[in-house]
Each structure stands twice: as structure tokens, then as C-alpha cells.
Amino acid sequence: MDVIGKLKVFFSKNIEIIIISLIFYWYINRFLPFNKGIEYSYFYYLIDYKNGFIKRGFIGEIFRLLDITITSYKIIAINKIIFFILWFLIIQIIKKIFFFNKSLIYLLVTFILLNPALLKNYWIDLGRFDILGAIATCIIILSSKKYSSLLLFFFTIILLLIHEGQLFLFIPSILFTWYLKNKDSFSKNKIYFLMYIFFLVMCTAIISIYGNIKIPFHDFKNSIEERNIEKYKYYFYTNLFTGNTILDIKNSIIFNLTHFRLWVYGTASILYTVYVMSFFLSIYKIRLSQNMYALLTIIGLMNLSMILLGLDGYRWISNTSFAFLLNIFSILVTSENKTEVSTREIFKEERNKSRLVFILLSFFILSQISYIGITSV
């Protein structure tokens, strides 16, 4: 089959999803302007390794090696592509899980599109590197067991070079997905798995400690400004690269822990995501063990711990919700209990009916929410 024929088949099989995606793009482009994601991430595109290794300089080094002139227009365009790569991968996961029921596909797609703590947040905060961890997790979810170990090593190292905070964000979800895919042989590989976790922790510590600037601060600032050709106004992370981060951490702890609205909206966002995804687990009649609940809780707490390290509290709430979503995806994809169940059979149970009513009503409320719980504090 030629390329045109393959494209015709693809569009015919995915026409509904394509239409939904176009409507969603029109909606977010029209009603959800970017917040400050580019303003805060622009700095990381300007730093590189030409004056020695520096934390979070990996992306800037790629741009330098490829001799790409950095402009806000290019960064926005690249991050829009990254955003829709994530969306495409999510669609593939959903179709893999609910291959037997289009109604469930549409229901889950609608939930992900409308939930302010999920894709809406990544759009408003466009430009941040958190989304790359979500993409890496999705790729491992979709990959075969054969390649999962190679992808685990590749993505975890790259993510740490991009942002060492990924140790608490999506690397736990990547490790969790690998564990589920290799559960049958995990007892034989447990010691290697634990050693690799220790290796990642040590890598994070080394990057954090030895990733500060090696040249005088004035020279460092000048080298960055040389690459800022369009003189874009961005946030300069002075303390992060001079090793004076204690004050920033102290301010984050005080501000976020005393921010009442953050915890009200944040808790509601996380619990809502947990509730809706538990509904989809119940469709397959998957009952999680105590150990599985413990793992999901630990991963969630690791995500939330970033609240102690950064002022943008809603960002960490969003990442916690998204990580939980992907963790449930991992459970559903690796579950062996995938049988074709009709919509009528699913809603024979009264509990499922009441859950569906609640979810559908929540969709109306969520469609009215654009900013609550998703903007940076």
C-alpha cells in the first residue's frame, strides 16, 4: 500500500478522534492563552555545555550543536508539536485499552480534554519540560516488554539531564510501568532494579551538586545574553546555578504550605482524577492489591514533594494528577483481563450508572473551568 493509501486508512479509522482534536485545538487556542511557561523555560534554551557541564543545559546544548537560533516563536512552535505528540500517544493508549468499545474511548478522551489538571494545564504552561516525562512514560506504556529495559535506561538518563526534578515527577511512573511489564521476571531482577534506582538517585545528586556554573557569574550571564538574539524577557534562575537554593526552597515551603486555595483546588483535582480512573478500572473488574495501592501512593507523594521545591504549586498538582492517570493506564494496558464488554453490560450495575451520571455532570462543570487549579501560583 502506498503512502496516500495508508493515510486514507488512518484518517478513515480515526476520523472521530481527528475531529475532536481539531475542536479541542480551536478551543484551547481561542480561550486558553499561554501563562508563563515560555517565560520560565526560555532561560533553559539559552544555557549549554560550552563552558562545562551545567544542570538543565541539555536542551540548550542540543540547540547549540544543531546551530538553531533561539526565538520565542520557535520555542512555542516546538512545544505545540510536543503537546500534540503527547495527545497522539494518549489516544493510542486509550484505543489499546478500550479497543472493544468506542463509547468508553470517547468518555475517557472527554475527561482528559476537559480536566483542568491534565492537558489544559500543559497548554497554559506551554514550554515547560515536565511534558517530556509524560511523553516518555506513554512511549514505554505502548512499547513491548522486549524494549522496555532499553527505553527505561534511555529516557531516565535523558530526563535527568533535562531536569533533575524528573526523579520525583515522571521517572517513578516510568519505573512503575517497567515493573508491571516485567512483573513475571521481577523476582530475578529485583536486585538490579533496586541498584538502578540507587544509581538514578546518585545521578540526581551529582547533577544537583556539580551542575552549578564553573565560570564567574558575570561571564555566565553574558554568554546567555549572547544567545538571546531577540532580547526576550525571561526569568533568570540566579540562585539555582550559583548554589544558593536554600532560600528558594524555604520560600517555596512557606508559600505553598500556607496557600489555602492551592490545597483546596489541588486536593479536589487529584481526588477527581482518582475517582474517574477508578471507574475505568472497575470496568475490567481490576482490584488493586495493598502493595499496588502503596506504590501508587508513594509515586503520588513523590510528585507532590516538588511543592516543597518550587513556588508554582499548581504545576505540581497537575503533574501528580497526570502521573496517576498514566499509572492507571499502565495497569490497564498490562492487565490480562481484557475482554470485550458491551456498554449495556457495563451499566447493568447500579454503581456504574451512578458513577457515569456524576462523570457526565462533572464534564459540564469542567467545560466552564479554564484557570482554576491549573495556572502557576
Side-chain angles (χ1 to χ4, degrees):
M1 188 182 296
D2 59 8
V3 176
I4 295 177
K6 288 180 179 179
L7 286 174
K8 285 182 179 178
V9 171
F10 173 80
F11 281 107
S12 64
K13 287 185 176 181
N14 298 276
I15 186 64
E16 301 97 333
I17 298 298
I18 291 171
I19 292 172
I20 292 172
S21 301
L22 290 173
I23 294 172
F24 178 62
Y25 177 72
W26 170 83
Y27 167 73
I28 58 177
N29 208 42
R30 175 70 176 81
F31 298 105
L32 298 181
F34 307 140
N35 188 25
K36 293 185 177 182
I38 298 295
E39 188 176 314
Y40 285 109
S41 65
Y42 193 92
F43 173 80
Y44 296 127
Y45 289 89
L46 300 175
I47 58 177
D48 51 47
Y49 298 157
K50 69 179 179 182
N51 293 312
F53 175 78
I54 186 170
K55 55 190 170 186
R56 308 186 192 181
F58 184 79
I59 295 294
E61 179 67 8
I62 296 298
F63 273 67
R64 185 179 74 87
L65 292 174
L66 296 176
D67 196 26
I68 298 175
T69 304
I70 298 166
T71 65
S72 56
Y73 174 81
K74 287 179 183 176
I75 293 175
I76 290 172
I78 289 170
N79 280 278
K80 280 186 177 182
I81 293 171
I82 290 172
F83 178 88
F84 281 99
I85 287 174
L86 175 62
W87 172 232
F88 174 79
L89 292 171
I90 287 173
I91 290 297
Q92 301 313 306
I93 293 172
I94 293 173
K95 288 168 69 176
K96 188 171 184 177
I97 296 169
F98 297 114
F99 61 91
F100 57 84
N101 195 311
K102 278 194 173 184
S103 298
L104 293 175
I105 291 176
Y106 297 147
L107 186 67
L108 188 48
V109 164
T110 305
F111 161 70
I112 293 171
L113 293 181
L114 292 181
N115 191 335
L118 299 179
L119 284 179
K120 280 184 178 179
N121 177 78
Y122 281 148
W123 179 263
I124 287 183
D125 241 5
L126 196 77
R128 296 192 187 270
F129 298 142
D130 307 347
I131 193 173
L132 299 176
I135 287 175
T137 308
C138 288
I139 291 173
I140 293 183
I141 291 173
L142 289 167
S143 70
S144 65
K145 177 182 175 180
K146 179 181 177 182
Y147 298 107
S148 60
S149 296
L150 178 62
L151 290 172
L152 169 72
F153 177 77
F154 175 77
F155 283 131
T156 50
I157 298 301
I158 294 298
L159 288 173
L160 285 180
L161 291 173
I162 292 172
H163 194 306
E164 68 280 6
Q166 286 287 355
L167 181 71
F168 300 94
L169 293 177
F170 287 101
I171 285 180
S173 295
I174 291 173
L175 293 169
F176 179 70
T177 303
W178 182 91
Y179 162 72
L180 291 178
K181 285 183 175 289
N182 297 273
K183 202 172 182 180
D184 55 344
S185 59
F186 183 72
S187 57
K188 294 187 293 184
N189 298 312
K190 184 188 295 186
I191 185 66
Y192 300 110
F193 185 71
L194 294 175
M195 286 174 62
Y196 189 68
I197 292 177
F198 178 75
F199 169 74
L200 292 175
V201 172
M202 292 304 298
C203 285
T204 304
I206 292 170
I207 291 170
S208 300
I209 296 170
Y210 296 102
N212 295 323
I213 56 176
K214 311 293 191 303
I215 58 176
F217 182 76
H218 182 268
D219 294 338
F220 173 65
K221 193 169 184 179
N222 286 340
S223 69
I224 290 177
E225 284 304 316
E226 287 175 6
R227 299 191 70 188
N228 185 16
I229 296 174
E230 65 175 340
K231 303 303 176 185
Y232 186 82
K233 292 183 179 180
Y234 59 89
Y235 182 82
F236 197 102
Y237 293 86
T238 304
N239 291 337
L240 179 66
F241 293 94
T242 56
N244 303 317
T245 56
I246 300 300
L247 182 60
D248 289 343
I249 294 173
K250 183 180 178 181
N251 290 337
S252 296
I253 292 173
I254 294 172
F255 184 76
N256 286 331
L257 294 185
T258 58
H259 196 291
F260 178 75
R261 192 178 70 175
L262 166 68
W263 290 103
V264 172
Y265 293 154
T267 302
S269 297
I270 294 171
L271 290 179
Y272 175 66
T273 303
V274 170
Y275 179 84
V276 174
M277 293 312 296
S278 68
F279 166 73
F280 290 103
L281 281 176
S282 69
I283 290 172
Y284 280 134
K285 302 188 185 303
I286 296 174
R287 296 186 181 277
L288 303 180
S289 65
Q290 289 185 339
N291 290 338
M292 194 63 70
Y293 277 118
L295 280 173
L296 291 171
T297 302
I298 291 170
I299 294 172
L301 290 175
M302 289 184 72
N303 277 269
L304 278 176
S305 68
M306 291 297 290
I307 282 179
L308 305 176
L309 304 177
L311 285 172
D312 36 4
Y314 286 128
R315 173 187 174 192
W316 313 125
I317 294 294
S318 171
N319 282 320
T320 302
S321 299
F322 215 103
F324 182 81
L325 172 77
L326 297 183
N327 293 337
I328 298 302
F329 278 173
S330 297
I331 293 171
L332 289 168
V333 167
T334 56
S335 171
E336 297 177 355
N337 185 29
K338 289 189 181 69
T339 55
E340 293 191 21
V341 183
S342 66
T343 305
R344 183 176 298 179
E345 288 178 278
I346 292 170
F347 297 113
K348 276 182 181 179
E349 297 183 27
E350 290 298 321
R351 187 184 179 189
N352 286 342
K353 289 180 182 178
S354 60
R355 281 185 171 187
L356 179 64
V357 170
F358 172 80
I359 292 171
L360 291 176
L361 287 174
S362 71
F363 285 170
F364 173 75
I365 298 172
L366 293 177
S367 66
Q368 310 303 310
I369 300 175
S370 297
Y371 295 97
I372 294 177
I374 53 178
T375 56
S376 299
V377 175

